[in-house]
């Protein structure tokens, strides 16, 4: 019996080899060579995914896993721009005779999904017509609409896709070239409605996942690990003819917090870490002895902030949080520079709006608005906002209500936890009682979709171009979580719904910008956008850390090998994973 089993295994292996030799698509020849095939990349994450469906992922714990298998018409370059070929081998944009905009893409042929089924233009059409157009996604389809609210008309000629807008539209390569293509042969009966599609490819359905990108999730053990294995039908090759990806698999070990992640890295159990600034000096001191490579980059693309719930369940709290002077007072009570000097070891900068100084779209005028630590200014603003203090020194509102609220952040993030404690102490000096309760990350995200929270310290990541933030800044956006629209959340009472004047203008800007082709005119809009947010402290921005990466010198990362560093705006969810299909281990 044993002999028979050995023969059977050998026979199956031979069949797999024959299958691979027969696979000959129009290869994407990547700008990489000399890597060695095989090996496992070990990483750590403080939370597992909530979903494996890319169109319903709203948290980085899901996106960082899913993105390794996503495939689109275009790929992103080192700067996060859609300039690289992927499923499309040719592409372009034209102005039509009637003043419209035509984006076109020519698909490469012979590509297959990870299950061996052909990946064709039909899958692109299916994704567009059955998922994006009918709006079966968490973020909606506003990304793809022009300034007049029109989606493009899709036509197909042979292997060429043509998306025609009736007006000018600047964002087509980012949106049309960037949406994730889904397998028609697997999902055709799952896109009947949003609820059905949302319940497709849950974390319990890991064995159903089919991808076109370099890695496919094959195992998820809650609280333990997520395993991804190479897609044997990925259509890219190195310049010296090696089918990519080089790595056999990626394993995300799920750890309780960032302190445990650091210990695992020091013990050699994981290959790479994005250390927090408080740990960086001690880790860097060990780098030469341990055989680590150290990268210090610009400030990260992630924005960290305190968000107050404009639709809080308690109507009294709701009034406080909608009060401009209250939010501005909190901003003045946050001692950013001391936090940078102590917790961040100087490896960060104060932030006042949704972009940091390393962004190509940054407006430095936000730095001139003030919002530097001053409890005196904070007290004055509270008084101007109608607040006062009782004989016990407690802050009270215009109706005599004592100001007390709950603050949450994700417990796994040691830096957010420590900054939350500092903020609580600072607000206590203003007579504000804050009940701080850290929670697990996925639970925190879940809470954001309900009225049952007061204030949250969290961060958002995305592409550098602010146009990518439509889901956050549009009034009906799928991540406008501090002030959900009744159109998005049915628990928001339309009669109680309130929109800040600055939010209305921001909504206009996010729609207008889609048709602006002139770069100077566009930057004026982004300058105004940043000032509106900062002047009104719609979100109270805190501190941005420098991008830090430490990895074993036996791990060869493509951006480090080619550019000598890692660009946090190039792949904002986890910059070290940009072009991970080109990474290899000795």
């Amino acid at each position: 019996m044993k002999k028979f089993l050995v023969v059977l295994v050998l026979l199956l292996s031979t069949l797999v080899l024959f299958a691979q030799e027969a696979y000959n698509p129009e290869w994407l020849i990547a700008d990489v060579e000399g890597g060695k095939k095989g090996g496992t990349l070990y990483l750590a994450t403080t939370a597992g995914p909530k979903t494996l469906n890319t169109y319903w992922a709203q948290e980085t714990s899901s996106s960082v896993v899913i993105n390794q298998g996503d495939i689109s018409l275009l790929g992103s370059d080192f700067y996060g721009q859609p300039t690289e070929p992927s499923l499309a081998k040719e592409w372009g944009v034209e102005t039509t005779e009637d003043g419209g905009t035509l984006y076109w893409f020519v698909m490469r042929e012979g590509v297959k999904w990870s299950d061996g089924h052909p990946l064709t233009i039909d899958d692109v059409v299916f994704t567009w017509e059955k998922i994006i157009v009918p709006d079966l996604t968490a973020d909606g389809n506003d990304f793809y609409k022009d300034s007049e609210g029109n989606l493009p008309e899709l036509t197909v000629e042979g292997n060429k896709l043509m998306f025609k807008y009736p007006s000018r539209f600047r964002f087509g390569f980012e949106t049309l070239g960037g949406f994730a293509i889904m397998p028609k042969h697997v999902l055709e009966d799952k896109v009947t409605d949003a609820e059905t599609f949302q319940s497709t490819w849950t974390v319990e359905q890991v064995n159903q996942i089919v991808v076109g990108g370099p890695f496919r999730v094959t195992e998820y053990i809650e609280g333990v690990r997520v395993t991804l294995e190479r897609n044997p039908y990925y259509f890219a090759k190195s310049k010296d003819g090696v089918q990519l990806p080089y790595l056999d698999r990626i394993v995300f070990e799920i750890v309780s917090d960032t302190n445990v992640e650091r210990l695992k890295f020091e013990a050699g159990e994981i290959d790479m870490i994005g250390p927090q600034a408080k740990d960086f000096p001690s880790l860097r001191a060990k780098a030469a002895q341990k055989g680590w490579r150290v990268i210090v980059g610009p400030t990260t693309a992630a924005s960290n902030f305190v968000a107050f719930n404009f639709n809080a369940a308690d109507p009294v709290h709701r009034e406080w949080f909608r009060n401009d002077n209250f939010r501005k007072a909190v901003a003045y009570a946050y001692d950013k520079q001391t936090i940078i000097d102590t917790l961040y070891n100087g490896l960060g900068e104060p932030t006042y709006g949704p972009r940091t100084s390393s962004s190509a779209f940054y407006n430095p005028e936000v730095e001139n608005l003030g919002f530097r630590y001053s409890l005196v200014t904070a007290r004055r603003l509270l008084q101007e906002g109608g607040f006062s203090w009782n004989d016990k020194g407690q802050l009270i509102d215009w109706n005599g209500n004592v100001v007390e609220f709950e603050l949450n952040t994700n417990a796994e993030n040691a830096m957010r936890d420590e900054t939350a404690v500092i903020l609580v102490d600072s607000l206590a000096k203003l007579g504000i009682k804050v009940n701080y309760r850290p929670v697990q990350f996925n639970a925190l995200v879940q809470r954001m979709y309900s009225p049952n929270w007061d204030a949250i310290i969290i961060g958002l990541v995305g592409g550098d171009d602010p146009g990518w933030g439509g889901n956050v800044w549009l009034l009906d956006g799928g991540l406008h979580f501090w002030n959900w629209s009744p159109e998005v959340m049915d628990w928001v009472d339309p009669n109680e719904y309130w929109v800040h004047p600055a939010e209305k203008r921001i909504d206009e800007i996010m729609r207008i910008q889609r048709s602006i082709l002139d770069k100077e005119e566009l930057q004026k809009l982004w300058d105004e956008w940043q000032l509106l947010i900062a002047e009104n402290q719609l979100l109270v921005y805190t501190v941005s850390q420098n991008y830090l990466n430490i990895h074993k010198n036996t791990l060869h990362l493509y951006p480090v090998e080619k550019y000598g560093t890692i660009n946090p705006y190039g792949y904002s969810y986890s910059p070290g994973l940009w072009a991970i299909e080109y990474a290899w281990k000795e």
Side-chain angles (χ1 to χ4, degrees):
M1 178 62 72
K2 288 182 180 179
K3 186 175 181 180
F4 171 76
L5 288 174
V6 171
V7 172
L8 179 59
V9 170
L10 288 171
L11 179 60
L12 288 173
S13 299
T14 303
L15 289 173
V16 171
L17 285 171
F18 283 146
Q20 290 303 294
E21 288 171 3
Y23 182 48
N24 190 31
E26 288 188 87
W27 293 102
L28 168 63
I29 306 302
D31 183 24
V32 63
E33 60 184 336
K36 298 177 182 177
K37 292 202 70 168
T40 300
L41 175 64
Y42 292 95
L43 303 170
T45 179
T46 55
K50 285 182 62 181
T51 179
L52 298 174
N53 185 331
T54 191
Y55 283 104
W56 285 92
Q58 292 287 80
E59 54 291 312
T60 53
S61 59
S62 299
S63 299
V64 76
V65 172
I66 296 169
N67 284 0
Q68 312 316 316
D70 279 350
I71 196 66
S72 53
L73 291 169
L74 297 179
S76 294
D77 62 21
F78 180 69
Y79 303 99
Q81 300 304 306
T83 63
E84 297 293 320
S86 183
L87 285 179
K89 59 182 180 179
E90 299 173 31
W91 61 94
V93 59
E94 303 169 8
T95 300
T96 59
E97 293 181 358
D98 57 1
T101 311
L102 177 71
Y103 287 92
W104 57 267
F105 305 87
V106 177
M107 284 271 291
R108 66 183 69 244
E109 298 185 86
V111 178
K112 293 183 179 181
W113 292 100
S114 58
D115 63 354
H117 194 280
L119 195 171
T120 70
I121 204 165
D122 290 340
D123 295 295
V124 184
V125 173
F126 163 76
T127 305
W128 178 257
E129 293 184 346
K130 299 300 182 180
I131 297 175
I132 293 174
V133 171
D135 198 8
L136 302 190
T137 73
D139 287 329
N141 57 17
D142 273 321
F143 285 118
Y144 309 93
K145 294 179 180 178
D146 63 16
S147 59
E148 299 170 4
N150 300 304
L151 287 169
E153 178 184 347
L154 171 62
T155 57
V156 175
E157 290 183 4
N159 224 33
K160 185 176 183 180
L161 297 140
M162 292 171 287
F163 296 87
K164 183 180 182 299
Y165 286 93
S167 64
R168 293 189 302 175
F169 185 69
R170 75 171 184 93
F171 219 50
F173 292 134
E174 290 84 353
T175 55
L176 305 172
F179 69 81
I181 312 303
M182 304 297 271
K184 178 181 178 181
H185 69 287
V186 175
L187 298 177
E188 192 166 19
D189 62 343
K190 303 291 195 306
V191 293
T192 54
D193 57 81
E195 185 176 354
T196 301
F197 187 47
Q198 183 181 8
S199 62
T200 300
W201 285 7
T202 64
V203 292
E204 293 81 20
Q205 299 168 354
V206 66
N207 61 328
Q208 300 177 20
I209 307 301
V210 174
V211 304
F215 292 96
R216 181 176 74 88
V217 180
T218 56
E219 178 190 49
Y220 173 51
I221 302 176
E222 186 174 0
V224 181
R225 65 177 172 271
V226 186
T227 303
L228 298 87
E229 297 191 4
R230 71 189 307 272
N231 171 7
Y233 294 102
Y234 189 53
F235 58 93
K237 275 186 176 181
S238 66
K239 289 193 292 186
D240 51 356
V242 178
Q243 186 184 359
L244 301 171
Y246 288 119
L247 295 166
D248 285 336
R249 64 186 61 81
I250 302 173
V251 175
F252 289 90
E253 301 283 353
I254 301 172
V255 297
S256 57
D257 56 43
T258 51
N259 292 321
V260 175
E261 180 181 11
R262 173 192 170 171
L263 292 173
K264 280 185 169 288
F265 179 70
E266 291 190 76
E269 296 176 26
I270 58 176
D271 297 308
M272 179 167 62
I273 186 173
Q276 296 193 327
K278 69 182 183 67
D279 298 325
F280 188 70
S282 61
L283 288 171
R284 180 165 53 183
K286 301 175 183 177
Q289 175 192 355
K290 293 277 192 176
W292 298 335
R293 187 163 187 174
V294 177
I295 302 292
V296 179
T299 48
T300 65
S303 56
N304 289 292
F305 50 81
V306 185
F308 290 98
N309 189 357
F310 291 4
N311 292 313
D314 189 323
V316 174
H317 292 201
R318 201 182 305 150
E319 282 194 77
W320 304 338
F321 303 153
R322 293 176 177 180
N323 186 302
D324 282 1
N325 283 43
F326 178 83
R327 298 190 308 277
K328 290 177 182 179
V330 172
Y332 273 104
Y334 195 91
D335 192 353
K336 300 176 183 178
Q337 194 57 54
T338 297
I339 289 171
I340 290 169
D341 293 339
T342 54
L343 288 182
Y344 284 79
N345 289 301
L347 294 164
E349 66 176 34
T351 52
Y352 304 97
R355 283 295 176 272
T356 65
S357 63
S358 60
S359 167
F361 299 90
Y362 182 61
N363 180 7
E365 290 182 39
V366 298
E367 300 172 22
N368 302 325
L369 298 175
F371 300 113
R372 289 166 177 80
Y373 180 65
S374 172
L375 291 180
V376 172
T377 305
R379 290 181 71 88
R380 175 177 59 78
L381 285 166
L382 289 169
Q383 288 176 313
E384 292 175 0
F387 296 89
S388 58
W389 289 264
N390 62 21
D391 54 8
K392 296 180 181 178
Q394 297 170 308
L395 187 70
I396 56 175
D397 67 13
W398 39 90
N399 293 319
N401 298 301
V402 174
V403 177
E404 179 180 350
F405 63 87
E406 182 172 300
L407 173 67
N408 308 117
T409 193
N410 51 311
E412 309 94 328
N413 189 309
M415 294 294 280
R416 284 185 188 158
D417 179 61
E418 292 184 42
T419 54
V421 171
I422 292 172
L423 181 61
V424 169
D425 180 67
S426 189
L427 292 178
K429 295 173 183 175
L430 295 172
I432 300 173
K433 183 179 181 183
V434 180
N435 301 309
Y436 172 50
R437 295 188 176 89
V439 297
Q440 199 266 343
F441 178 71
N442 285 341
L444 181 70
V445 173
Q446 192 71 28
R447 188 170 296 188
M448 287 162 49
Y449 289 83
S450 79
N452 302 317
W453 61 277
D454 285 334
I456 285 174
I457 298 179
I458 200 166
L460 293 173
V461 294
D464 192 22
D465 190 319
W468 278 115
N471 61 330
V472 177
W473 296 107
L474 289 168
L475 292 175
D476 57 356
L479 257 181
H480 198 73
F481 68 93
W482 67 94
N483 195 15
W484 289 116
S485 164
E487 297 177 16
V488 179
M489 294 295 172
D490 55 14
W491 50 262
V492 177
D493 185 347
N495 297 317
E496 297 292 335
Y497 180 56
W498 170 84
V499 178
H500 195 288
E503 288 186 289
K504 291 181 181 178
R505 174 56 182 160
I506 289 168
D507 184 88
E508 292 175 0
I509 289 173
M510 296 306 294
R511 298 181 193 280
I512 293 170
Q513 58 87 20
R514 298 167 180 169
S515 64
I516 306 299
L517 304 180
D518 182 82
K519 289 186 177 181
E520 289 187 10
E521 186 180 352
L522 186 63
Q523 185 59 45
K524 287 179 181 177
L525 287 177
W526 296 139
D527 287 347
E528 182 187 358
W529 167 71
Q530 291 172 74
L531 285 171
L532 284 167
I533 296 165
E535 286 171 345
N536 297 284
Q537 290 295 293
L538 297 175
L539 300 172
V540 180
Y541 285 87
T542 58
V543 169
S544 178
Q545 178 184 292
N546 286 77
Y547 177 70
L548 305 173
N549 177 285
I550 304 179
H551 57 273
K552 294 177 181 178
N553 57 22
T554 53
L555 172 63
H556 296 261
L557 297 174
Y558 176 72
V560 177
E561 303 281 318
K562 186 170 179 64
Y563 299 99
T565 187
I566 295 172
N567 179 15
Y569 278 101
Y571 191 81
S572 51
Y573 292 123
S574 182
L577 294 181
W578 176 68
I580 198 63
E581 63 270 34
Y582 304 163
W584 59 279
K585 291 178 70 175
E586 293 178 16

